[in-house]
Amino acid sequence: MGDNIGSRTAGRVRGRAGWRPGDLRVPVGADAGRWRTFEGGRVLVAAARTVTSAVRLLDVLPALLRSDPRVDVVFAFDPTSAFDDGVHDLLRATGVRVMPWDQLPRIHCHLVVSASENIDLTAVAADCPVLVLPHGVGFHKLVPDARGEGRRLSGVMDDARAWHAVSHHDQTAQLAEHHPWLAARSRLVGDPYHDLMLASRPLRARYRAALGAGDGRRLVVVTSTWGPQSLLGTDPGLPARLVAGLPLDEYRVAAVVHPNVWFAHGRRQVRAVLAAALDGGLRLIPPERGWQAALVAADVVLGDHGSVTLYAAALGRPLLLAAFGEESVPGTPMAELGRIVPRLEPHGPLGPQLERAMAEHDAERVRKVTDGAFAEPGHALERLRATVYELLGLALPAAGSPPLYACPVPDAEGGEVTAAWVSTSVTGDDVTVRRLPATGGQPEEGDGTFCHLSCDEEERDLRLLGSASAIVSGAPGASAAAGVRWARQTLAAWPGSRLATAAVPGGCVTVLRDGRVVESTATGPLPDAALHAAVVYARLRARHALTGTAALHVAGRTEDVTLGVRPALHSPAGTTPQEPVTGPRA
């Protein structure tokens, strides 16, 4: 019986000419007409080899082929790249049809579109055109050649079927120097990402809010391409030093890491290398989406010789270069940018260098360089759509221009700092506060300046919690009484702490080690429990009264914090009343 079933199955397989198990049957199979709903007529194969190239296709194609049932779009995954991890999962998650690469020679395809010049075209029919989209900006980088030991010019496909979409006339000349016949098969399209970022500038405030910089903090975007000459390849500890050296109330830091780093080493390894930076508040942009909005939102960009740095320059963002590899191609706008943009001193004070880069940014000088990469901005999608339909042999749809969708809002991970060094100084009724992530070294104390470790109750490192002078709860309690109960329990659980502060309706309550309860309210819209704790701690250290109004100065703004004390009715469990702390806490 089993043999009969096997024979019938084999017969069905043989009955579909050229069909193999695992092949896609709709919309490109030999018997697709039996199952399809949309008439189709033209087959466009989107060839993906890496996440970088797949994302570019997923970003661009929907707008080009919107509302047109004449074109069947099928993705095919060429699994020959060193960076092929993640591609199949990404394609499946977006709901596209994915065809096995070995099915490509057995279907009738009218156009292949790829953002990877290194796809294996032996599977593509000799008469099928191939449109190569850039996955960066132009041809500005030399990369290892997967087919040999040397290097090749990134972005160039040496094949007679290839048509190259370029963003500037100079790139056509560059193709002609590489192979004369390539210039005749290039099309000046522009750059859809550049157009998108320019058009999304009115949404800057929305993007800044998503990255934690909606309150006026400066947003620093760190960007790294891939490889040993990249920012992360030369100095993987830079993001951690950066967040550790920038005051939390004045800066936010986000990182854009090339997908080839994510998928060569794995998401877990990227997060492991950046663990200290993430603990210090780094916002890590996922590799699939969000980097364009981060550039729109940025106040300053710290980059290398990757395309994201060039995009940032074209947006007019102040720049510092933390690395710049010799793999950058001489004579290109990227190479010229490397010549004129100031370099970071990676082990010097980072904040002053960023401030100087913003203050001394020569936007006009940089614009003259980036104009050599992006010609006639604002028309890329229309020109790219016209090229696609010409190669498909179809008339353009009757609908108007393709939509220009806004940059997606970044869904960054990280950003929460649950342990910080808090430096305070007291002058009369003025209390000045400066907070740094506890991932860096403890700041020194000086005349009238005190330092303490403050931890949120959610801090995961128990060593930090056990060493904290102040433990805070930022989640508002139901009442002041509930906040006091939490604080007393916390002091009992962590005998090394000096005080515990809880946000409550209308303000905060702080319980001291000697049992006293300090109630505080501020003029700000929402209480920041750590800042309230800092005011109480500073006045304790300065031996000032814990009553009255203090002027809190932090990050250039001032709030009035009003304090009041309840007498100590009893001490927290396991403690005895004591004098306020008079020396620094180790």
Side-chain angles (χ1 to χ4, degrees), residues 276-459:
L278 288 166
D279 288 345
L282 179 71
R283 306 254 172 155
L284 186 56
I285 308 295
E288 297 85 2
R289 55 185 288 161
W291 64 267
Q292 302 98 328
L295 294 187
V296 173
D299 290 302
V300 60
V301 173
L302 186 56
D304 56 16
H305 57 286
S307 289
V308 175
T309 303
L310 189 53
Y311 280 120
L315 278 176
R317 299 294 173 256
L319 294 172
L320 271 176
L321 293 175
F324 203 85
E326 53 82 25
E327 59 196 6
S328 180
V329 177
T332 61
M334 189 76 247
E336 178 63 12
L337 201 67
R339 188 183 69 83
I340 68 171
V341 171
R343 303 297 176 101
L344 180 79
E345 170 48 54
H347 296 286
L350 300 177
Q353 294 184 72
L354 294 170
E355 293 292 335
R356 187 164 56 251
M358 288 184 276
E360 299 177 357
H361 176 55
D362 189 342
E364 181 63 20
R365 187 184 188 198
V366 172
R367 185 190 62 78
K368 290 179 181 179
V369 173
T370 60
D371 280 352
F374 305 103
E376 305 174 30
H379 307 285
L381 284 177
E382 289 89 344
R383 289 176 172 176
L384 185 55
R385 184 177 68 164
T387 298
V388 166
Y389 275 88
E390 177 189 350
L391 294 176
L392 283 171
L394 289 175
L396 285 169
S401 298
L404 184 61
Y405 298 115
C407 297
V409 176
D411 184 18
E413 63 179 281
E416 298 301 320
V417 178
T418 51
W421 292 115
V422 183
S423 295
T424 55
S425 61
V426 181
T427 305
D429 290 330
D430 294 296
V431 178
T432 302
V433 175
R434 187 172 185 265
R435 297 189 283 184
L436 292 168
T439 52
Q442 179 178 356
E444 294 184 1
E445 293 197 345
D447 292 339
T449 300
F450 314 115
C451 179
H452 70 276
L453 178 61
S454 176
C455 285
D456 189 272
E457 62 174 335
E458 299 296 331
E459 170 58 44

Side-chain angles (χ1 to χ4, degrees), residues 220 237-253 276-277 280-281 346 348-355 421 434-441 443:
V220 183
L238 178 58
R241 297 199 308 277
L242 185 65
V243 296
L246 298 178
L248 291 170
D249 298 293
E250 299 176 30
Y251 291 90
R252 286 282 187 258
V253 182
L350 300 177
Q353 294 184 72
L354 294 170
E355 293 292 335
W421 292 115
R434 187 172 185 265
R435 297 189 283 184
L436 292 168
T439 52

